[in-house]
Amino acid sequence: MLSQQGIVYQAITAMKIVVSPEISSICPEFVGACVEADVVNTPYAECLWEEIHQQESHFRATLTTESLKEITSIAATRRVYKACGKDPSRYRPASEALIRRILQGKPLYQIDTLVDLINLASITYGYSIGGFDASKFVGDTLTLGIGREGEPYEGIGRGMINIQGLPVYRDQYGGVGTPTSDNERTKIDLSTTHLLVLINGYDGCRERIEENACFIITLLQKYCQSVSAHYFLY
């Protein structure tokens, strides 16, 4: 049981998260957070985008495309990519790619309220975050491993991508999420009512990962009518 600002969150047991030995041997300090919530998604939330624009302005005033690589959460994810055999400059972690886009003067993609708030949470803390429609999972367990040669994987809006050497969450059917791109099969859409979010803490900073999880819960309460959001660490 964990709390922030007087709100108590109960750990959930509906979905089990397993970190495989192939990941723990490369990154023994890994800490993940799983947020689950019943939600109401909408096409657009104006006040949420005011928060996003504030964060964009902050980054443009304080970061460059080189210095952003020194953010501890991003630097740690890049190290894990290299250890797994993947070039992080070719297959960028999503948090880095989003912040780079901001620093290049490009607007963030506007998708829908759930995806937009997850992107805000990702750039604010620098962790690559997977957001999923939990009703689309096959089975009750997600396992974090490493992508294999020839493993089929359709990234959202990217077509088939090569996930060999990428950290990947798999359900009973196959891959659902990597720090570079989540899978089309389990993506969020406007009909999503059961959300599951995974925060990938390859830097092992437990306190900051918990802060990120609580930040997501706050956003869900403000913008997605969520009264049931909760999280646990793994």
Side-chain angles (χ1 to χ4, degrees):
M1 184 180 294
L2 305 161
S3 65
Q4 183 187 42
Q5 299 178 342
I7 303 171
V8 177
Y9 308 112
Q10 297 281 353
I12 64 171
T13 58
M15 181 61 69
K16 297 187 285 290
I17 315 293
V18 176
V19 179
S20 72
E22 57 186 354
I23 290 292
S24 58
S25 63
I26 289 172
C27 187
E29 64 272 25
F30 175 85
V31 177
C34 176
V35 178
E36 188 179 44
D38 292 324
V39 294
V40 176
N41 199 7
T42 57
Y44 178 80
E46 182 176 357
C47 291
L48 170 62
W49 273 91
E50 290 176 3
E51 293 193 46
I52 291 172
H53 293 323
Q54 289 174 3
Q55 192 63 54
E56 289 174 330
S57 298
H58 172 69
F59 284 144
R60 289 174 181 139
T62 59
L63 288 176
T64 68
T65 54
E66 287 303 310
S67 66
L68 78 89
K69 297 177 185 177
E70 301 171 5
I71 296 172
T72 57
S73 45
I74 291 175
T77 306
R78 291 176 63 88
R79 286 195 300 270
V80 168
Y81 270 40
K82 291 177 181 178
C84 291
K86 209 69 168 176
D87 180 358
S89 294
R90 183 178 178 189
Y91 293 85
R92 295 188 190 279
S95 54
E96 179 185 350
L98 289 169
I99 298 173
R100 280 179 63 86
R101 185 175 178 85
I102 292 168
L103 297 177
Q104 291 168 346
K106 301 174 183 177
L108 282 187
Y109 307 101
Q110 191 275 308
I111 309 297
D112 57 49
T113 300
L114 282 175
V115 174
D116 297 343
L117 73 81
I118 290 169
N119 285 342
L120 173 59
S122 180
I123 64 174
T124 300
Y125 287 86
Y127 293 111
S128 289
I129 299 176
F132 309 94
D133 185 324
S135 69
K136 298 176 181 178
F137 290 133
V138 179
D140 64 355
T141 302
L142 297 176
T143 302
L144 177 59
I146 299 174
R148 309 182 187 102
E149 182 178 1
E151 184 172 1
Y153 190 94
E154 185 178 2
I156 296 175
R158 300 167 67 108
M160 300 304 293
I161 62 174
N162 175 15
I163 65 167
Q164 181 181 4
L166 281 178
V168 58
Y169 288 94
R170 300 182 182 94
D171 65 5
Q172 186 175 319
Y173 183 82
V176 298
T178 76
T180 291
S181 176
D182 291 332
N183 196 299
E184 282 279 354
R185 176 169 62 89
T186 50
K187 75 176 182 181
I188 294 165
D189 56 37
L190 288 175
S191 67
T192 297
T193 58
H194 186 187
L195 175 72
L196 188 136
V197 177
L198 299 177
I199 303 170
N200 295 285
Y202 290 101
D203 61 355
C205 186
R206 181 187 180 100
E207 181 178 357
R208 188 165 173 79
I209 293 159
E210 288 198 61
E211 288 178 2
N212 200 346
C214 290
F215 181 57
I216 291 171
I217 289 173
T218 298
L219 294 175
L220 291 172
Q221 292 169 338
K222 289 168 67 175
Y223 300 116
C224 296
Q225 302 180 38
S226 180
V227 295
S228 63
H230 39 236
Y231 76 93
F232 66 90
L233 300 183
Y234 57 92

